[in-house]
Amino acid sequence: MRTLISTAFISLDGVVEAPGGEPGYRNSGWTFKHTEFLPEAFEIKEREQKESTAILMGRTSYEAFSPVWPDMADFADYKTMPKYVVSTTLTEDDLVDNWGETTILRSLDEVAALKETEGGPIIVHGSASLNQALSDAGLIDRYHLLVFPLLLGAGKRLFSTTDKDVRKLKLVEHEAYPNGLQKNVFDVVR
């Protein structure tokens, strides 16, 4: 079974919306506007590219990343990696042709089936709604969280507010940085 890893820039109050400057959110760009950049705090992002074997994302994140990431040196390892987009509305005609193999999945059942295939870790970037659905369905195995020392108030959250049983996490890696960022890596306890 493949490991499904959710990776997120997250505010202390749980917001994951528009960390890189995506339009339409009041606090868009919060990851770089309010916290000093320290390269060592982002080491995990490079490691994710080296250790992952596929990317999973929702339609909105695909539409944000696909015009930009294929030509960015910072994301070169992702260019040839298989990509999976969970969407009920995206069509093959909507996919970009310069970002490698991309497969559209129509349901969480298809994500569960993907996890059952041979291969290494699958990384989930962005995709707040998808992350909530994956978490609620018990499909996420690990969280890579870079927690920013900010309270953003309103905004899309990483975790849903669905009433559910407790899901225990085990902290397997952590570090705090002088700029207030915290790296927290959690395995989901089964």
Side-chain angles (χ1 to χ4, degrees):
M1 179 183 281
R2 299 173 81 170
T3 302
L4 190 60
I5 302 168
S6 171
T7 182
F9 295 137
I10 187 168
S11 68
L12 191 58
D13 58 349
V15 174
V16 293
E17 186 169 354
E22 299 81 356
Y25 175 59
R26 176 183 179 177
N27 293 314
S28 184
W30 51 270
T31 58
F32 60 86
K33 289 181 180 176
H34 305 288
T35 305
E36 174 193 1
F37 178 75
L38 294 178
E40 61 270 25
F42 295 87
E43 170 277 333
I44 195 167
K45 302 321 262 169
E46 183 177 334
R47 187 172 15 132
E48 288 169 350
Q49 286 189 67
K50 301 294 184 203
E51 295 174 355
S52 299
T53 60
I55 304 172
L56 179 69
M57 65 197 102
R59 179 195 50 79
T60 301
S61 291
Y62 177 81
E63 289 174 343
F65 300 155
S66 65
V68 181
W69 282 20
D71 298 320
M72 290 182 69
D74 288 346
F75 301 110
D77 291 327
Y78 286 145
K79 187 161 185 164
T80 58
M81 195 177 292
K83 283 157 263 329
Y84 298 89
V85 183
V86 181
S87 173
T88 58
T89 59
L90 201 68
T91 68
E92 294 291 328
D93 291 338
D94 296 322
L95 302 177
V96 298
D97 58 7
N98 65 334
W99 203 21
E101 174 191 347
T102 303
T103 303
I104 300 170
L105 304 178
R106 298 293 182 196
S107 68
L108 293 182
D109 288 340
E110 290 186 42
V111 174
L114 174 64
K115 282 186 63 172
E116 296 294 329
T117 63
E118 293 294 319
I122 303 166
I123 194 90
V124 182
H125 279 283
S127 309
S129 297
L130 177 60
N131 263 289
Q132 291 178 6
L134 292 168
S135 178
D136 288 349
L139 293 173
I140 295 177
D141 302 296
R142 174 174 275 199
Y143 291 95
H144 289 182
L145 305 178
L146 278 179
V147 183
F148 284 72
L150 302 169
L151 299 176
L152 298 176
K156 293 179 184 174
R157 301 261 187 300
L158 183 63
F159 301 103
S160 77
T161 57
T162 302
D163 186 17
K164 57 187 168 247
D165 291 337
V166 171
R167 182 159 293 135
K168 187 173 179 181
L169 305 175
K170 178 181 179 186
L171 184 65
V172 295
E173 182 181 342
H174 63 92
E175 192 160 349
Y177 301 95
N179 63 356
L181 267 177
Q182 294 179 27
K183 172 179 64 181
N184 293 302
V185 176
F186 295 99
D187 281 344
V188 176
V189 177
R190 304 271 184 225

